[in-house]
Amino acid sequence: MPLSERDREELADDIIRDRRISMSTYCGSCGYNLKTLPRSYHCPECGSEYRARPPLMKGIYLPHENSPPFGEAIAVVVCVLGAGLLVVGAWNSKSTGYVATAAIFVAITLSIAVHVVVRTNRFLRTLRLGRQIARQEEDLE
Ligand SMILES: [Zn+2]
């Protein structure tokens, strides 16, 4: 639906007052370009809520968050080795203190592993969205 002259002027006023997104900014769920939409709204493509007002951005594609969780993955490997040694030691010694320490270490290892899975999923989604956005921009050129 084409915008009327009045709608275009209101849109320009909103952009000048920083109420609307003035540059290409993409939905964090589907990659839709949110340019000219209000800074806090719902994506017209997928319906996800977003807020494009720094520093509290929400639901926005942020390419700088696109780093693989290598550090956390190494921490999980180290914790698994440490937890394994503690569990074997606790099994051999039957000491209550040893078992408690092993249990705490296993719990910490599991929580870090869950964090790595969440970060890996976020990384893969951001990677996929980045490719999709690049294809969309190529199509527009
Ligand atoms: Zn969307």
Side-chain angles (χ1 to χ4, degrees):
M1 180 176 72
L3 296 174
S4 70
E5 182 68 27
R6 182 185 157 87
D7 289 340
R8 281 197 298 261
E9 284 183 15
E10 283 182 6
L11 190 64
D13 285 348
D14 281 353
I15 288 173
I16 288 167
R17 290 186 198 117
D18 201 31
R19 290 183 185 153
R20 295 199 178 244
I21 300 168
S22 57
M23 54 198 250
S24 287
T25 303
Y26 301 94
C27 171
S29 298
C30 70
Y32 184 83
N33 193 343
L34 305 167
K35 187 176 179 180
T36 73
L37 291 173
R39 291 217 171 256
S40 292
Y41 200 55
H42 296 273
C43 171
E45 186 73 13
C46 70
S48 295
E49 190 180 352
Y50 69 84
R51 183 162 64 201
R53 191 176 296 281
L56 298 172
M57 305 282 267
K58 177 185 164 194
I60 298 293
Y61 167 72
L62 299 170
H64 63 272
E65 285 187 350
N66 196 7
S67 61
F70 288 135
E72 292 96 330
I74 290 170
V76 166
V77 170
V78 169
C79 284
V80 164
L81 293 174
L85 289 173
L86 280 170
V87 167
V88 168
W91 186 265
N92 290 338
S93 73
K94 308 285 191 234
S95 149
T96 321
Y98 222 146
V99 171
T101 306
I104 290 169
F105 216 83
V106 167
I108 291 170
T109 303
L110 288 175
S111 78
I112 295 173
V114 167
H115 176 73
V116 167
V117 168
V118 169
R119 280 266 294 118
T120 301
N121 281 338
R122 190 182 311 152
F123 166 69
L124 293 174
R125 192 183 69 201
T126 306
L127 201 64
R128 200 172 46 245
L129 264 180
R131 289 186 187 135
Q132 182 184 331
I133 289 167
R135 273 196 308 270
Q136 287 172 3
E137 287 179 347
E138 280 174 16
D139 291 345
L140 291 176
E141 289 172 4

